[in-house]
Amino acid sequence: REVARRVRRFTKDKCLFFVLSDGAPSAWGYSGDAAIRDTRAAVTEVTKTGFSPVQIAINNSHDPALMFDHYVVFDNMDTLPRQLGKIVRQAILKNATKTTM
């Protein structure tokens, strides 16, 4: 949410928003199902403002589909470019058909 707010200070254009993570939302007092639901809510919020979030999950701990509409599990460097290209295309096309707030 914070990164999206900062980007919006510079542009109102639609943006691809890459999230590179281990797929385990976690901080002091922030983990488990509640953190997964909050991450899903954050993804929904930034999508409504014109971002197309794409998660690149490295050694994911949780199912990325619980949090992201568009994601790639980075487990094989040989297939990553093709997988990433496909998911980026889907994210762009989905966002292109929506209007921003």
Side-chain angles (χ1 to χ4, degrees):
R1 290 177 178 117
E2 180 60 27
V3 172
R5 279 191 283 271
R6 290 179 185 204
V7 169
R8 282 293 167 242
R9 289 194 304 227
F10 297 100
T11 183
K12 298 296 181 199
D13 293 342
K14 291 182 178 185
C15 301
L16 276 172
F17 192 64
F18 292 98
V19 179
L20 184 64
S21 73
D22 65 358
S26 181
W28 184 260
Y30 181 85
S31 63
D33 290 341
I36 290 170
R37 284 190 303 275
D38 183 59
T39 300
R40 168 48 83 183
V43 168
T44 300
E45 289 170 25
V46 300
T47 299
K48 288 178 181 178
T49 64
F51 288 91
S52 294
V54 175
Q55 182 196 32
I56 302 171
I58 301 172
N59 292 326
N60 58 306
S61 313
H62 300 289
D63 180 2
L66 297 173
M67 298 171 277
F68 292 85
D69 295 324
H70 306 288
Y71 60 88
V72 173
V73 175
F74 182 17
D75 58 359
N76 182 337
M77 188 61 180
D78 292 333
T79 61
L80 180 65
R82 185 176 47 243
Q83 290 176 321
L84 191 55
K86 180 180 174 182
I87 207 72
V88 164
R89 182 177 183 272
Q90 289 172 355
I92 290 171
L93 290 174
K94 181 177 180 181
N95 194 292
T97 60
K98 293 184 176 184
T99 58
T100 59
M101 297 178 101

